[in-house]
Amino acid sequence: MAVPTITLNNGVAIPQLGFGVFQIEPENTEKAVLEALSAGYRHIDTAQMYGNEKQVGEALASSDLQRSDVFVTSKLNNGFHRPDDARRAMDQTLADLGTDHVDLFLVHWPLPTRYDGDYVSTWKVMEEFAADGRARSVGVSNFQVDHLERLAKECDVVPAVNQVEVHPYFTNEAVRAYGSEHGIATEAWSPIAQGGVLKDEVITEIADRVGKSTAQVTLAWHIARGDIIFPKSVTPERVRANFDIFDVGLTAEDVERITALDKGEDGRTGPHPDTFDMIPG
Ligand code: NDP
């Protein structure tokens, strides 16, 4: 079954299912991405912080696909929020990926406690990338509602996406709701909570009934809620299984039951965007 696309607020279509490469070692990345492309994925989510953009680029070059066949996302690293640093970092991303544009470029973290709390000038450089074509779309990641409100007040371009932690134990509803009210698509990172939801009783019961794995049911739940996902795996059978989720047949009640597993802040696995301030190196 074909992967559905979501139309972003600038008219660009993004495949709702992609492949994430966080925590894939550079030496394993080309093989993993080629595996994903051969399973049918046409959307790859990488970042400067992951240190594997070059190997993603090598996979794209050695596949028999055209550049335009694959939707490629990367993200501005935390050390490069100042405008000139961001411009240089973007050029490095394009060189490493071996392309003249990315399909989507994100501010990886807002870092409200760094750079005098100034993520606005960073966003204005992102607007520049969208205007000059180095990015077909620009967006943010790990932005809370107040961060998005500030961009709305002080900038021109509305982010196309906000990539945030979302999974059954952390459904992140307020951030998702702000996005859907303002034309910002939600991308759900760690969609299976890095495996943390796979033994859940409710998800297991639903998986047994529909004859799919708990990972497939969880990924199908995200798709039913309209979020964009890119599960990561270096295990070829899982890479293929995670792509085979469009016939899972969840009922509205299944979706509600999984959503009700939310534990609020207790379910968050990653850093809190209001306080996270890590700068690599
Ligand atoms: P995921 O929720 O995708 O989980 C990945 C883990 O689950 C791996 O350990 C993988 O193991 C395992 N796994 C994958 N599929 C299955 C399966 N079918 N059955 C059992 N286990 C499985 O976590 P990620 O944190 O990687 O999130 C996905 C992507 O989101 C990242 O790769 C990245 O692109 C993005 N991300 C963005 C962040 C941001 O700040 N913007 C933060 C975190 C992630 P194995 O590989 O060994 O098979």
Side-chain angles (χ1 to χ4, degrees), residues 19-23 45-46 50 75 108-109 141-142 163 188-195 198 213 215 230-235 238 241-242:
F19 183 70
V21 299
F22 176 44
Q23 294 174 331
D45 184 272
T46 183
Y50 304 165
K75 315 183 191 88
H108 206 147
W109 288 89
S141 179
N142 300 300
Q163 182 178 128
W189 63 249
S190 290
I192 57 172
Q194 298 204 333
L198 300 184
S213 71
F230 22 82
K232 168 264 176 186
S233 177
V234 292
T235 314
R238 292 174 174 175
N242 293 348

Side-chain angles (χ1 to χ4, degrees), residues 76 79-90 115:
L76 181 70
F80 304 136
H81 277 213
R82 295 287 189 216
D84 278 342
D85 294 336
R87 292 184 187 104
R88 272 192 294 272
M90 173 50 134
Y115 301 107

Side-chain angles (χ1 to χ4, degrees), residues 8-275:
L8 301 175
N9 62 17
N10 59 354
V12 169
I14 180 171
Q16 200 181 355
L17 174 66
F19 183 70
V21 299
F22 176 44
Q23 294 174 331
I24 304 186
E25 296 299 327
E27 59 272 25
N28 299 326
T29 301
E30 182 178 358
K31 183 169 173 284
V33 172
L34 285 171
E35 190 69 46
L37 295 175
S38 103
Y41 294 78
R42 295 292 180 267
H43 166 186
I44 308 294
D45 184 272
T46 183
Q48 293 168 354
M49 196 186 287
Y50 304 165
N52 56 17
E53 289 172 299
K54 200 161 181 288
Q55 292 75 20
V56 169
E58 283 163 5
L60 294 171
S62 62
S63 79
D64 50 13
L65 294 164
Q66 300 299 307
R67 172 66 190 84
S68 57
D69 293 332
V70 185
F71 191 102
V72 179
T73 299
S74 193
K75 315 183 191 88
L76 181 70
N77 210 345
N78 289 350
F80 304 136
H81 277 213
R82 295 287 189 216
D84 278 342
D85 294 336
R87 292 184 187 104
R88 272 192 294 272
M90 173 50 134
D91 286 339
Q92 190 62 52
T93 277
L94 297 180
D96 286 348
L97 285 167
T99 181
D100 62 1
H101 71 281
V102 285
D103 296 280
L104 179 61
F105 197 58
L106 309 180
V107 179
H108 206 147
W109 288 89
L111 304 179
T113 61
R114 288 253 180 197
Y115 301 107
D116 306 317
D118 174 23
Y119 43 81
V120 169
S121 65
T122 314
W123 182 250
K124 291 189 173 166
V125 183
M126 300 292 280
E127 295 181 336
E128 214 176 279
F129 299 152
D132 68 21
R134 279 184 279 176
R136 288 174 71 220
S137 310
V138 289
V140 294
S141 179
N142 300 300
F143 273 47
Q144 299 283 81
V145 169
D146 60 315
H147 306 140
L148 296 168
E149 281 172 340
R150 181 155 166 220
L151 293 190
K153 221 177 285 166
E154 299 182 41
C155 304
D156 296 325
V157 173
V158 177
V161 312
N162 187 18
Q163 182 178 128
V164 290
E165 179 175 350
V166 183
H167 48 72
Y169 291 163
F170 186 66
T171 61
N172 216 343
E173 301 302 352
V175 173
R176 291 179 73 251
Y178 182 93
S180 61
E181 282 157 23
H182 294 85
I184 303 169
T186 296
E187 297 195 323
W189 63 249
S190 290
I192 57 172
Q194 298 204 333
V197 298
L198 300 184
K199 291 197 162 70
D200 183 87
E201 273 179 31
V202 169
I203 300 174
T204 303
E205 185 197 311
I206 295 169
D208 290 347
R209 193 193 79 232
V210 300
K212 290 280 190 175
S213 71
T214 52
Q216 289 171 314
V217 165
T218 305
L219 297 173
W221 168 80
H222 286 281
I223 296 290
R225 280 159 46 98
D227 291 351
I228 299 158
I229 49 171
F230 22 82
K232 168 264 176 186
S233 177
V234 292
T235 314
E237 309 80 67
R238 292 174 174 175
V239 172
R240 283 191 292 277
N242 293 348
F243 195 75
D244 178 24
I245 56 168
F246 296 101
D247 61 351
V248 173
L250 297 184
T251 64
E253 191 196 341
D254 294 332
V255 173
E256 274 171 36
R257 286 181 72 203
I258 298 173
T259 303
L261 298 172
D262 180 36
K263 299 175 198 262
E265 279 298 325
D266 289 345
R268 191 191 285 278
T269 64
H272 197 294
D274 283 344
T275 50

